[in-house]
Amino acid sequence: MKQGKRSIQTRLTSATIQANPVSPTGSEASQRNNMGDILSEISKLSSTLNKVASDVSTIKSDTTELKNTVNVLQTRLEEAESRISDVEDSNASMINENKVLRERVERLWSRVDDQENRGRRKNVKLIGLKEGKEAGNAMNDYIKKILSEGLGLQGEEFEIERSHRSGGPRPDDNQPPRVILVKFLRYTARQKVLMAAKKERGIRWEDCTLSIYEDMTKERSDLRRRFSPTMKALWDHQVKHTLAHPAILRFTWKGKRLSFTDPKKAEVFVRDNIQNTEND
């Protein structure tokens, strides 16, 4: 009977315990709180990892796009380099062609200039005759009169083919008169007229001072004029010289016959070997 009562008491005690469970200790509560915090941190970390994964995916996509862009740029750069190389090659070829063409043009221009000057080899330019002085006379007859009375040159040898003033309107009285161009029938007549005019160093004709020069193109005239300082130095040091066509300075120095086509080289030689030597 006692065992039966105990059994009933044990059952009542167990029921009481189930109905009124015992409160957990402090250590168990702390462990539960820590577990909750860990789960919360794990949840946050999972969220962060998901975000990082999303960002990595975006970065991969951007990297792929950037790589494609770089590949396109690389292709374009290679095309540009190829085109630049082609342009450089073409430019080098054009430079060579231009050099050849320039040399050809210079040769052709030299021939044209030579031909034009050859066409003027019988011509002279008369400078200083006032406008209207020849009025009432044929220009050819008036020029013959100047040659005869001014230079003492006359005869059939000095026959004039034609003569006229240079083109352009007649200048005012206070301006220089136009040049008179004279073409002789013979080259020898032209040479004698130039020599006589050079010897006289100007012709006094009525109230005019006349000068006679060779008729040549401006380009050749400018080239020959560049020898003027050297020729003056030779003249001052009594060195005989001549300026041959088209523009060749010739003279003899210490028994050696010299020729110069470059005015600068001629100037340097005369300065170093003639002027400085005599000054010393």
Side-chain angles (χ1 to χ4, degrees):
M1 291 297 291
K2 288 182 179 179
Q3 291 180 350
K5 289 179 180 179
R6 288 178 182 174
S7 177
I8 293 170
Q9 186 178 0
T10 300
R11 291 177 183 176
L12 289 174
T13 302
S14 178
T16 301
I17 292 171
Q18 290 178 358
N20 298 291
V22 180
S23 298
T25 64
S27 177
E28 292 176 349
S30 176
Q31 289 178 356
R32 289 181 180 180
N33 290 335
N34 290 337
M35 184 62 68
D37 293 339
I38 290 172
L39 293 175
S40 177
E41 291 299 327
I42 291 173
S43 177
K44 291 179 181 180
L45 181 59
S46 177
S47 176
T48 301
L49 289 175
N50 290 334
K51 184 178 181 182
V52 169
S54 176
D55 292 343
V56 168
S57 177
T58 303
I59 291 173
K60 286 184 178 180
S61 176
D62 293 343
T63 302
T64 302
E65 184 177 353
L66 182 60
K67 183 177 180 180
N68 294 335
T69 302
V70 169
N71 290 335
V72 172
L73 291 176
Q74 181 67 27
T75 302
R76 291 183 178 179
L77 180 60
E78 291 175 355
E79 292 177 355
E81 290 177 347
S82 177
R83 292 179 181 178
I84 291 173
S85 178
D86 293 341
V87 170
E88 289 177 347
D89 294 340
S90 178
N91 186 52
S93 176
M94 290 177 63
I95 290 175
N96 292 332
E97 291 178 1
N98 287 340
K99 181 180 179 180
V100 173
L101 291 175
R102 182 168 60 251
E103 292 174 352
R104 184 178 300 175
V105 169
E106 289 177 354
R107 289 196 300 270
L108 292 175
W109 174 253
S110 178
R111 292 179 183 178
V112 171
D113 185 67
D114 182 66
Q115 288 297 321
E116 184 166 352
N117 282 287
R118 287 179 181 275
R120 300 184 184 190
R121 64 194 306 267
K122 299 179 183 179
N123 299 1
V124 297
K125 294 191 295 185
L126 191 150
I127 300 173
L129 185 64
K130 293 182 179 179
E131 296 281 343
K133 283 288 184 180
E134 70 279 13
N137 301 281
M139 181 65 79
N140 284 6
D141 295 336
Y142 193 78
I143 298 300
K144 286 181 180 179
K145 184 178 180 181
I146 293 175
L147 297 178
S148 176
E149 298 180 9
L151 296 176
L153 302 175
Q154 54 187 343
E156 293 183 358
E157 180 183 6
F158 298 96
E159 183 177 354
I160 296 174
E161 185 174 336
R162 63 177 180 271
S163 58
H164 59 84
R165 288 193 182 270
S166 59
R170 176 171 176 167
D172 297 333
D173 294 338
N174 60 346
Q175 293 179 328
R178 291 172 293 174
V179 175
I180 296 176
L181 302 175
V182 182
K183 183 174 185 177
F184 292 96
L185 188 62
R186 299 173 180 85
Y187 173 75
T188 55
R190 177 253 202 181
Q191 291 298 97
K192 290 181 179 180
V193 168
L194 289 173
M195 291 177 62
K198 184 177 180 180
K199 183 178 179 180
E200 292 294 331
R201 296 192 177 185
I203 306 170
R204 291 299 303 173
W205 182 258
E206 298 179 356
D207 58 342
C208 303
T209 300
L210 307 181
S211 300
I212 298 178
Y213 299 99
E214 296 179 74
D215 180 29
M216 60 185 69
T217 61
K218 181 180 182 303
E219 290 78 11
R220 180 164 296 185
S221 178
D222 291 342
L223 180 60
R224 292 170 67 88
R225 190 179 294 113
R226 292 172 58 192
F227 283 98
S228 296
T230 304
M231 294 173 64
K232 182 179 184 303
L234 293 173
W235 181 272
D236 292 341
H237 290 80
Q238 299 180 351
V239 178
K240 292 184 179 180
H241 59 278
T242 182
L243 187 61
H245 283 281
I248 306 173
L249 180 63
R250 293 173 178 163
F251 60 91
T252 301
W253 178 248
K254 294 183 177 181
K256 187 177 181 180
R257 186 70 173 172
L258 302 172
S259 298
F260 292 92
T261 57
D262 187 336
K264 189 64 178 177
K265 291 182 179 180
E267 181 181 355
V268 171
F269 180 88
V270 170
R271 183 185 65 238
D272 295 344
N273 297 276
I274 299 179
Q275 291 178 299
N276 292 346
T277 301
E278 295 195 2
N279 290 337
D280 294 341

